[in-house]
Amino acid sequence: MKIVLGQGFSIFIILLALATLLLYALWGWPNDNAWWSLLETTYAGLPLGAWIIIVLAFMSFSFSLNTLQKVRDQEKKIESSLRPLLEAENSLPKNKKYAYSKRLHVTTNQLEQLILTQRKTLKRITNEKAEAQDKLIQERIVQERQRLARELHDSVSQQLFAASMLLSTMVELEEAQHGEAPKNLLQTERIVQQAQLEMRALLLHLRPAALHDKTLKQGMEELLLELQQKVFFTIRYRLEEVSLPKGAEDHLFRIAQETLSNTLRHAKATEVDILFVERDNLAIFRVQDNGVGFEMVDAKTGSYGLENIKERAVEIGATCKVVSVPSQGTIVEVKLPIEKSIEPVEIVKREELKDDSNIVSG
């Protein structure tokens, strides 16, 4: 029964998704004019939408029950095919019974091996299907993040920029005419500027975390050059090419995004320095600002952004240190050990040293 329910529910979800996609293709995005008719139109006292769900559920569980019944029928056929062989073995004389039993044993073993092979094949196909689905889901998530980032940048971000420019003009006119601008106008200007920073931090989060074919230095340079054109504070950076595994580069790039996003939203800094270098077999990434800072006790009680940074650092075997002083600024530093592979020349030299030592000892 559990198999029927589980399989039927999975099929129901797939059919419901297909029906939704079909309605979307016919009617477009959900709206009151078209989609509301699923609830307003009734048959036998039930809305049309409820009838669709009932029919899909009936089809799903009927298909699941039918499949299970076919499997059980097949098992019964196999059992009925083997039963005469066992009965025939019992009816044979003792001198022929051994040979017949041996043939039956070989046939049974072959059948068992065939079933085991089929099970392994089905398991492998299931795993490959699950991996493909996970990959497809991740690709769709990235595409959706990019779409949201584009729409926010083209609509809300542009409107905030226009509002900020308009308020700046009004403030300048008020100062030119009356010597100073009204406090409520200045406060509105600060709110809009903070909203711009929040929007840029959000767009920073929505950027793809993977570097694809770029190195970490190239990806960070592109990110920082884009930020320099959009923020109100000074960004200075020093980046070096450091050879790291692909996974470590992607995690460090995401750490950079998280750190800069926190700086945009909370630091209220006028200067930010970014460093990424290699020293003493360590890849060092550091972000330092001169913002408002915070008490380290408050950071331990639960900053979601800092916790994410620390977790990502641990996942790649790095250490993360956060130092902050109120009214003086914050430093976030990540150090990742670099594993150097032994060059072939070094191996040859070691072998030569071993040979020389053998000669001396001889």
Side-chain angles (χ1 to χ4, degrees):
M1 190 62 183
K2 291 182 179 179
I3 297 175
V4 174
L5 291 175
Q7 187 178 17
F9 184 73
S10 300
I11 297 172
F12 172 71
I13 294 298
I14 294 172
L15 291 178
L16 186 61
L18 291 175
T20 305
L21 288 174
L22 180 60
L23 292 176
Y24 174 76
L26 294 174
W27 293 344
W29 193 255
N31 55 75
D32 293 341
N33 295 330
W35 290 74
W36 193 252
S37 63
L38 294 175
L39 297 177
E40 291 180 339
T41 306
T42 59
Y43 294 97
L46 289 177
L48 179 59
W51 278 111
I52 293 175
I53 294 174
I54 292 171
V55 170
L56 292 179
F58 178 76
M59 292 172 60
S60 303
F61 289 101
S62 298
F63 180 79
S64 176
L65 187 61
N66 185 42
T67 304
L68 182 62
Q69 187 61 40
K70 287 184 178 180
V71 171
R72 289 181 176 174
D73 291 342
Q74 195 68 24
E75 290 176 352
K76 289 180 180 179
K77 287 181 181 179
I78 295 173
E79 184 181 354
S80 61
S81 299
L82 292 176
R83 188 178 292 110
L85 296 176
L86 295 173
E87 293 175 354
E89 180 186 4
N90 293 328
S91 62
L92 284 174
K94 290 184 178 180
N95 56 351
K96 294 183 179 180
K97 191 172 185 179
Y98 174 75
Y100 188 82
S101 178
K102 187 176 181 181
R103 288 198 303 271
L104 180 60
H105 181 69
V106 171
T107 304
T108 306
N109 284 340
Q110 290 176 348
L111 182 60
E112 183 181 359
Q113 291 298 322
L114 178 61
I115 293 173
L116 289 175
T117 304
Q118 288 180 342
R119 285 181 177 175
K120 291 179 180 178
T121 304
L122 288 173
K123 186 177 180 181
R124 177 178 56 81
I125 292 173
T126 303
N127 292 335
E128 290 177 354
K129 184 179 178 181
E131 291 174 359
Q133 287 178 343
D134 289 341
K135 185 177 180 180
L136 181 61
I137 290 171
Q138 291 300 322
E139 290 176 355
R140 289 179 178 174
I141 289 173
V142 171
Q143 292 173 0
E144 185 64 15
R145 287 165 64 114
Q146 292 175 341
R147 185 188 67 81
L148 286 173
R150 285 194 302 269
E151 290 187 0
L152 288 173
H153 181 270
D154 294 340
S155 58
V156 182
S157 183
Q158 296 297 328
Q159 292 172 5
L160 284 174
F161 177 74
S164 176
M165 294 297 294
L166 180 60
L167 286 169
S168 297
T169 304
M170 293 174 64
V171 168
E172 291 175 0
L173 287 173
E174 289 289 335
E175 289 177 348
Q177 293 176 0
H178 304 97
E180 62 177 0
K183 291 183 179 180
N184 56 354
L185 188 60
L186 293 174
Q187 185 177 6
T188 304
E189 184 184 24
R190 286 193 295 269
I191 291 173
V192 172
Q193 289 177 351
Q194 183 61 33
Q196 280 186 284
L197 290 178
E198 293 280 350
M199 179 59 63
R200 284 162 186 159
L202 178 60
L203 292 175
L204 196 61
H205 271 293
L206 290 175
R207 287 174 64 96
L211 292 166
H212 300 297
D213 297 330
K214 300 175 185 175
T215 64
L216 181 57
K217 178 187 176 185
Q218 292 170 342
M220 290 180 63
E221 278 181 345
E222 181 180 325
L223 176 67
L224 294 173
L225 286 172
E226 182 181 342
L227 276 179
Q228 280 180 327
Q229 300 172 3
K230 297 180 178 180
V231 295
F232 308 118
F233 50 80
T234 302
I235 296 179
R236 294 186 295 265
Y237 59 88
R238 178 184 172 190
L239 308 175
E240 296 180 359
E241 286 288 359
V242 181
S243 178
L244 293 173
K246 186 67 174 63
E249 284 191 334
D250 287 344
H251 270 61
L252 280 175
F253 186 65
R254 193 60 179 170
I255 287 173
Q257 289 178 302
E258 292 269 2
T259 307
L260 291 171
S261 175
N262 286 342
T263 304
L264 282 173
R265 298 178 63 188
H266 308 298
K268 299 180 181 178
T270 59
E271 296 180 357
V272 177
D273 293 283
I274 295 96
L275 179 71
F276 178 62
V277 296
E278 178 184 352
R279 296 291 183 271
D280 301 325
N281 291 333
L282 289 173
I284 302 173
F285 171 72
R286 182 188 304 146
V287 177
Q288 181 175 356
D289 65 66
N290 65 344
V292 295
F294 54 87
E295 293 287 349
M296 294 302 297
V297 177
D298 298 335
K300 292 179 182 178
T301 56
S303 171
Y304 182 72
L306 290 177
E307 288 300 320
N308 268 351
I309 292 170
K310 291 177 181 178
E311 288 175 4
R312 288 183 180 276
V314 170
E315 287 178 8
I316 57 175
T319 59
C320 179
K321 181 172 67 174
V322 180
V323 178
S324 185
V325 178
S327 303
Q328 295 187 27
T330 304
I331 299 175
V332 177
E333 184 178 75
V334 176
K335 291 184 178 180
L336 173 64
I338 301 175
E339 297 181 1
K340 298 285 187 179
S341 58
I342 300 177
E343 297 294 333
V345 176
E346 295 182 3
I347 297 176
V348 172
K349 288 182 179 179
R350 291 183 183 181
E351 293 296 332
E352 290 177 355
L353 289 174
K354 287 182 181 180
D355 294 338
D356 292 343
S357 62
N358 291 333
I359 292 172
V360 172
S361 61

